[in-house]
Amino acid sequence: MTSKINVAVLISGRGSNLQSLIAACEATNFPAVIKLVVSNRPDALGLEIARQAGISSLVIDHKKFSSRSEFDVALNQAIRAADCELTCLAGFMRVLGADFIKSWDSRILNIHPSLLPAFKGADAVGDAIKYGVKISGCTAHLVTEQIDSGPIIKQAAVEVLDSDTKESLAAKILALEHKIYPAALKIICEKLLLLETV
Ligand code: GRF
């Protein structure tokens, strides 16, 4: 395969999923290349991961904008200026507005630490532990205007042991995220490349 899909990755923190996407993209036959990493937080550890990988990165600090839509516009402009065709949310802790999402037409991917549609929202692992489920996992899905509700691309499940804490379960789920997120990105990029050839 010669052509690849240009990808932007949006982060807010640690960046372990960013790291797994970078590792996957290093394979010559992987259908994506990460062109840009954007963080809404200047102190995100993931920025250093991007730097070490030699990937362009930017901080677009949401606190410097007077409205969510102005932040979204700046973010959108940066991603498009980098010639990206697809955006991956990787621990990006901002809700994107409807205009932003519509303008990307099924070209935004997210990774969420639960088996959607169960446990949407910011504390999915804590909510799963509190509910007492015996199986949880993670979901890679397309982003739509309804939070954590878009079409599912990949899921992986893990057993929740009675001894599990929020932290231990999150760690088990994270290990699965690192496997399914690159796999989901591959699926979507291969589809986009097929579309480009018709
Ligand atoms: C992951 O648990 C992901 O599922 C959620 O945010 C966390 C990001 O972790 N959306 P990291 O920054 O990729 O390490």
Side-chain angles (χ1 to χ4, degrees):
M1 186 179 292
T2 50
S3 57
K4 292 181 184 244
I5 298 293
N6 291 342
V7 173
V9 183
L10 309 189
I11 61 168
S12 298
R14 179 176 58 182
S16 70
N17 278 290
L18 166 65
Q19 181 84 73
S20 74
L21 295 176
I22 290 172
C25 287
E26 276 166 5
T28 42
N29 62 350
F30 195 83
V33 57
I34 301 174
K35 286 281 181 189
L36 180 69
V37 171
V38 183
S39 172
N40 67 306
R41 294 188 51 139
D43 59 349
L45 294 177
L47 287 168
E48 179 57 18
I49 294 173
R51 199 192 61 74
Q52 280 181 15
I55 298 170
S56 298
S57 62
L58 272 179
V59 174
I60 303 180
D61 186 345
H62 63 278
K63 290 188 188 138
K64 298 199 167 147
F65 294 83
S66 51
S67 69
R68 187 173 74 178
S69 59
E70 282 172 48
F71 170 74
D72 281 2
V73 167
L75 187 59
N76 213 340
Q77 280 170 353
I79 296 169
R80 291 183 193 277
D83 212 17
C84 295
E85 304 151 273
L86 178 79
T87 294
C88 288
L89 311 183
F92 184 65
M93 300 306 285
R94 303 296 301 168
V95 173
L96 294 165
D99 288 345
F100 184 102
I101 292 169
K102 273 192 208 127
S103 79
W104 280 90
D105 188 25
S106 296
R107 285 167 180 248
I108 309 173
L109 266 172
N110 184 40
I111 183 79
H112 182 78
S114 77
L115 289 175
L116 291 173
F119 307 116
K120 299 172 182 177
D123 190 22
V125 180
D127 292 341
I129 286 279
K130 276 186 220 140
Y131 201 92
V133 291
K134 300 301 174 199
I135 294 179
S136 190
C138 52
T139 304
H141 66 96
L142 294 175
V143 172
T144 55
E145 286 170 53
Q146 283 70 43
I147 291 173
D148 300 330
S149 299
I152 291 169
I153 308 301
K154 274 249 165 210
Q155 288 188 306
V158 68
E159 190 178 356
V160 185
L161 304 175
D162 291 342
S163 57
D164 267 324
T165 60
K166 181 174 159 178
E167 289 70 30
S168 68
L169 179 59
K172 288 195 288 190
I173 291 174
L174 192 65
L176 294 177
E177 292 179 30
H178 296 160
K179 291 195 175 124
I180 70 160
Y181 207 10
L185 176 61
K186 184 169 187 278
I187 289 169
I188 295 300
C189 288
E190 282 172 350
K191 286 208 166 102
L192 292 176
L193 286 170
L194 264 183
L195 284 176
E196 280 178 9
T197 57
V198 287

